Amino acid sequence: GQQLNQSPQSMFIQEGEDVSMNCTSSSIFNTWLWYKQEPGEGPVLLIALYKAGELTSNGRLTAQFGITRKDSFLNISASIPSDVGIYFCAGTFTTGGGNKLTFGTGTQLKVEL
Amino acid sequence: EAGVAQSPRYKIIEKRQSVAFWCNPISGHATLYWYQQILGQGPKLLIQFQNNGVVDDSQLPKDRFSAERLKGVDSTLKIQPAKLEDSAVYLCASSRTGGRNTQYFGPGTRLTVL
């Protein structure tokens, strides 16, 4: 099956720094999503990308859908302590009844005050 | 709008025992998903329902896992008998049908098999 590789696996940064993480796939997806998961909770959608080359922002978060449709990146500007968590990329194929998500391996972000 | 509800939140059992998880999706969401998330990994889809019909169960270990959504609303996921490698968080998600509809996740049930 499809595999999504995320890098880095974990990051330990200073508050105020910018963060960049990316996701690559062996297969093409028609949608890329970025989720954040905090301990004891399910993933929460941050940004959705629907077209190759699309660049979308959500507050301090910016994500891009790669031209090849096999990669995506997420940037977080001016990190704050509440950015701590695990960030997952996910690619989707749209089926007749819904969207089948394939998740990446996750990037754990830790922010030092 | 109430989110996806799951219970129990935690469960500890011994191997070879059986266990069941319950999910109540967001009202009006016809599509329901069960995911398995092993520690340190991303969630993996086990089964997808649309209303009370199965859309995709290709990654469900059918020799021990079963799921149902009898009335097209609540769903249960069962493991019988459990193995050590079934220790994971089991996440339920729901969405409206079709297109770009977002999946909303519940808090999950953390299962520990001893």
Side-chain angles (χ1 to χ4, degrees), chain B residues 57-68:
Chain B
D57 64 357
S58 57
Q59 298 193 87
L60 187 74
K62 298 180 186 64
D63 57 334
R64 297 183 301 106
F65 285 64
S66 64
E68 60 183 13

Side-chain angles (χ1 to χ4, degrees), chain B residues 43-63:
Chain B
K44 182 186 80 172
L45 180 69
L46 293 175
I47 188 167
Q48 176 185 341
F49 291 94
Q50 182 176 346
N51 297 309
N52 60 352
V54 175
V55 174
D56 184 348
D57 64 357
S58 57
Q59 298 193 87
L60 187 74
K62 298 180 186 64
D63 57 334

Side-chain angles (χ1 to χ4, degrees), chain A residues 37 40-43, chain B residues 3-6 9 23-24 33 89-94 103-109:
Chain A
Q37 187 174 28
E41 300 295 332
Chain B
V4 176
Q6 291 189 247
R9 291 296 309 273
C23 173
N24 180 242
Y33 312 79
V89 174
Y90 290 85
L91 294 163
C92 179
S94 70
Q103 291 187 32
Y104 295 88
F105 285 81
T109 296

Side-chain angles (χ1 to χ4, degrees), chain A residues 10 15 25 29 31 34 36 49-52 54 58 61 63 66 71 76-77 81 83 87 90 93-94 98-99 113:
Chain A
S10 65
E15 182 179 6
S25 168
F29 289 105
T31 302
W34 285 92
K36 179 185 178 186
L49 303 158
Y50 301 107
K51 294 191 301 185
E54 180 180 354
N58 179 7
L61 277 60
D71 64 319
I76 305 173
S77 62
D83 290 334
Y87 291 79
F93 289 105
T94 302
N99 297 321
L113 297 176

Side-chain angles (χ1 to χ4, degrees), chain A residues 1-4 25-33 69 90-102, chain B residues 33 45 48 55-56 99 103:
Chain A
Q2 297 92 9
Q3 288 194 356
L4 298 184
S25 168
S26 56
S27 303
I28 290 172
F29 289 105
N30 56 24
T31 302
W32 281 94
L33 306 168
R69 297 171 62 193
T92 76
F93 289 105
T94 302
T95 65
N99 297 321
K100 179 176 181 176
L101 288 177
T102 299
Chain B
Y33 312 79
L45 180 69
Q48 176 185 341
V55 174
D56 184 348
Q103 291 187 32

Side-chain angles (χ1 to χ4, degrees), chain B residues 23-112:
Chain B
C23 173
N24 180 242
I26 292 172
S27 178
H29 283 193
T31 307
L32 184 147
Y33 312 79
W34 282 102
Y35 289 84
Q36 180 193 59
Q37 186 175 22
I38 293 172
L39 186 65
Q41 299 182 18
K44 182 186 80 172
L45 180 69
L46 293 175
I47 188 167
Q48 176 185 341
F49 291 94
Q50 182 176 346
N51 297 309
N52 60 352
V54 175
V55 174
D56 184 348
D57 64 357
S58 57
Q59 298 193 87
L60 187 74
K62 298 180 186 64
D63 57 334
R64 297 183 301 106
F65 285 64
S66 64
E68 60 183 13
R69 193 184 184 200
L70 292 176
K71 296 183 180 179
V73 181
D74 294 5
S75 177
T76 56
L77 175 70
K78 297 179 182 177
I79 307 175
Q80 182 179 9
K83 293 185 175 181
L84 296 176
E85 58 262 35
D86 297 333
S87 294
V89 174
Y90 290 85
L91 294 163
C92 179
S94 70
S95 72
R96 298 190 186 279
T97 299
R100 299 176 174 181
N101 291 303
T102 301
Q103 291 187 32
Y104 295 88
F105 285 81
T109 296
R110 180 176 295 279
L111 174 67
T112 302

